[in-house]
Amino acid sequence: MDIGIALPQYGDHARPEWIVPFARQAEEAGFGWLWVGDRSLAPVSPGDLYPGRTAQDPYPAGFRTFLDPLTVLTAAAGATTRARLATSTLNAPWYPPLLLARTLTTLDALSAGRLVAGLGLGWLRDEYTAVNADFARRGALLEEALDVLHGYWTQEVFGHEGPHWSIPASYVGLRPARPGGPPVLLGGLSPAAMRRVGRRADGWAGVLLPPDAEAALWDVARRAAEGAGRDPGALTRHIRHNVRPGTGADAIASVLDGVRASGADSAFIDLQQCTAGPAEALELGIAALERVRAG
């Protein structure tokens, strides 16, 4: 199982000068994936709560400072040569899909095909309001974005007519590094989201869950893939572990061992909510990685 680490991107870790050295040292240490997330704002009075939070503490304080995910990945791409560059997850309905296709394709070309596009929906309707996107139609917006991405990546002359976007037939000279474009992962924890994974994606950008809950969701995706005439065995699983404060390297390694035992294809650790800054996160992450390798 490949192991990844979240790049310094938000809260006290949002230090642009750290992106390049962090990415380079993480790759040298053996991390196979470098990940980013996507938040656009931190409302003073949010309309929704981050999962597991209360009205008095609606979301992690670190979300008040958030570097742009694709800019961070671009910097990391120039500092590395082997690590996969991935998003968990980019909230696709916020972005005009044509411009999203252009940006993702450019990053894929710059990184020599190392991009993995993890796409999701988010949970905060205030972010949708701020970019004039319809939260109630977020699933349909994601489906249409997937249509546009597929067309842009596979057709030399591409046009699109959909319920939300109209793109005139146009020449597409910008090509992804691999035929068909970068792998697409989809996030989500609902049965509808997992059915979309099975129907449309290369895999699931998941989060750490109790084993029984994860297995049940994964079964939904596999059955949806089979129903759509796709090979369920070709789907991949990539599990995010948001490490809590006070967790040591041994405990992190134990979690990663459990993820590996579940059959997941990769896991990554986000240490930005449990360490004081990028240097401490990198040190802790490397220590956990070494413990996993040592068995």
Side-chain angles (χ1 to χ4, degrees):
M1 182 185 74
D2 286 336
I3 297 175
I5 190 169
L7 290 167
Q9 186 192 6
Y10 63 88
D12 293 335
H13 294 246
R15 304 178 194 175
E17 71 276 10
W18 259 98
I19 297 169
V20 165
F22 190 104
R24 184 179 295 125
Q25 291 175 52
E27 183 181 69
E28 290 172 352
F31 285 104
W33 294 65
L34 303 173
W35 292 82
V36 293
D38 197 11
R39 290 266 64 82
S40 64
L41 50 79
V44 173
S45 301
D48 299 288
L49 305 179
Y50 188 74
R53 295 278 176 157
T54 66
Q56 293 72 37
D57 184 27
Y59 49 74
F63 285 4
R64 297 178 184 181
T65 305
F66 223 99
L67 300 179
D68 176 74
L70 297 182
T71 304
V72 171
L73 280 190
T74 300
T80 56
T81 59
R82 301 182 306 278
R84 308 297 293 273
L85 308 166
T87 56
S88 175
T89 55
L90 196 70
N91 293 313
W94 299 351
Y95 305 94
L98 176 64
L99 299 185
L100 180 63
R102 182 184 66 178
T103 302
L104 292 177
T105 309
T106 301
L107 179 52
D108 185 60
L110 283 172
S111 65
R114 291 185 286 137
L115 177 66
V116 177
L119 307 177
L121 298 175
W123 52 274
L124 181 57
R125 54 192 86 220
D126 297 303
E127 291 178 307
Y128 278 77
T129 300
V131 298
N132 197 31
D134 187 351
F135 185 81
R137 297 282 295 165
R138 60 195 184 281
L141 288 168
L142 175 57
E143 293 274 3
E144 191 167 349
L146 293 172
D147 292 338
V148 172
L149 290 174
H150 178 74
Y152 192 93
W153 287 336
T154 59
Q155 301 172 29
E156 294 184 3
V157 176
F158 168 67
H160 171 81
E161 282 294 336
H164 306 100
W165 304 98
S166 178
I167 302 171
S170 305
Y171 297 106
V172 182
L174 178 63
R175 309 314 299 162
R178 70 183 75 186
V184 172
L185 311 177
L186 294 177
L189 298 173
S190 69
M194 299 308 293
R195 287 192 291 269
R196 187 180 293 115
V197 169
R199 289 187 294 103
R200 309 260 350 227
D202 295 290
W204 179 37
V207 297
L208 188 67
L209 296 170
D212 289 348
E214 181 182 322
L217 286 173
W218 189 234
D219 185 60
V220 171
R222 289 176 57 87
R223 285 189 282 108
E226 188 172 12
R230 308 178 73 209
D231 178 10
L235 294 176
T236 58
R237 267 184 297 164
H238 309 269
I239 305 301
R240 177 189 193 114
H241 176 27
N242 296 313
V243 182
R244 295 182 177 181
T247 306
D250 288 338
I252 296 170
S254 178
V255 169
L256 293 174
D257 284 336
V259 174
R260 178 167 54 188
S262 77
D265 296 89
S266 79
F268 81 96
I269 48 177
D270 184 344
L271 304 169
Q272 293 171 95
Q273 297 182 48
C274 72
T275 55
E280 184 180 333
L282 191 58
E283 181 180 4
L284 178 59
I286 292 173
L289 180 63
E290 290 175 345
R291 283 162 172 76
V292 171
R293 286 173 165 174

